[in-house]
Amino acid sequence: MADCDLCGVSRPTLCPIKVFMPKFGKTYPTGTWKGLCESCTAHLHEANEAREAITAKKCNLCGIKDVPLYRATINKPNFEQPYSTEETRHICEACLTATEEVYKKHEERILGED
């Protein structure tokens, strides 16, 4: 079991997304792997299509600062009613592009199985 890096939900498998994190740039110059659940991947796909700019300090996925950020609304699970709440995350263009590639591969795999 692993936890999604955006919403925190625990799933047996996650979608692996490779993002460059400036914090670990010297150790991992090609990027590090982040795990997102299918729901967060779909929400970031929707955010990539909408591209609604937002003013924020850093990306919630890679931690990069001083770049244009975009709004992504995700469902964060909790143990009170209602059982999930909508939260806004700030995502940079590089993370949206990496997520879009993974989303397309996932959709092709699902359509290929049918």
Side-chain angles (χ1 to χ4, degrees):
M1 296 292 274
D3 295 339
C4 176
D5 288 318
L6 274 183
C7 69
V9 69
S10 183
R11 299 273 188 236
T13 57
L14 297 174
C15 299
I17 297 173
K18 193 169 196 175
V19 297
F20 177 75
M21 295 181 68
K23 182 177 180 181
F24 303 114
K26 291 182 180 179
T27 309
Y28 302 106
T30 59
T32 58
W33 292 99
K34 293 287 190 170
L36 297 182
C37 64
E38 292 178 6
S39 174
C40 286
T41 306
H43 287 295
L44 290 183
H45 169 70
E46 293 170 6
N48 189 31
E49 290 179 346
R51 290 286 177 127
E52 184 181 344
I54 189 171
T55 55
K57 294 186 179 184
K58 67 178 187 173
C59 176
N60 287 123
L61 197 56
C62 69
I64 196 167
K65 297 179 181 179
D66 300 326
V67 294
L69 298 173
Y70 302 98
R71 177 188 313 268
T73 305
I74 64 164
N75 292 326
K76 185 172 181 181
N78 59 16
F79 295 105
E80 300 172 0
Q81 282 195 344
Y83 295 107
S84 65
T85 56
E86 287 189 352
E87 288 192 4
T88 300
R89 298 288 187 217
H90 317 121
I91 308 295
C92 68
E93 186 172 350
C95 291
L96 283 177
T97 304
T99 306
E100 188 68 23
E101 292 172 6
V102 170
Y103 180 81
K104 287 180 181 178
K105 287 181 183 178
H106 182 70
E107 289 297 312
E108 288 175 4
R109 187 186 60 147
I110 289 176
L111 293 175
E113 291 177 358
D114 291 340

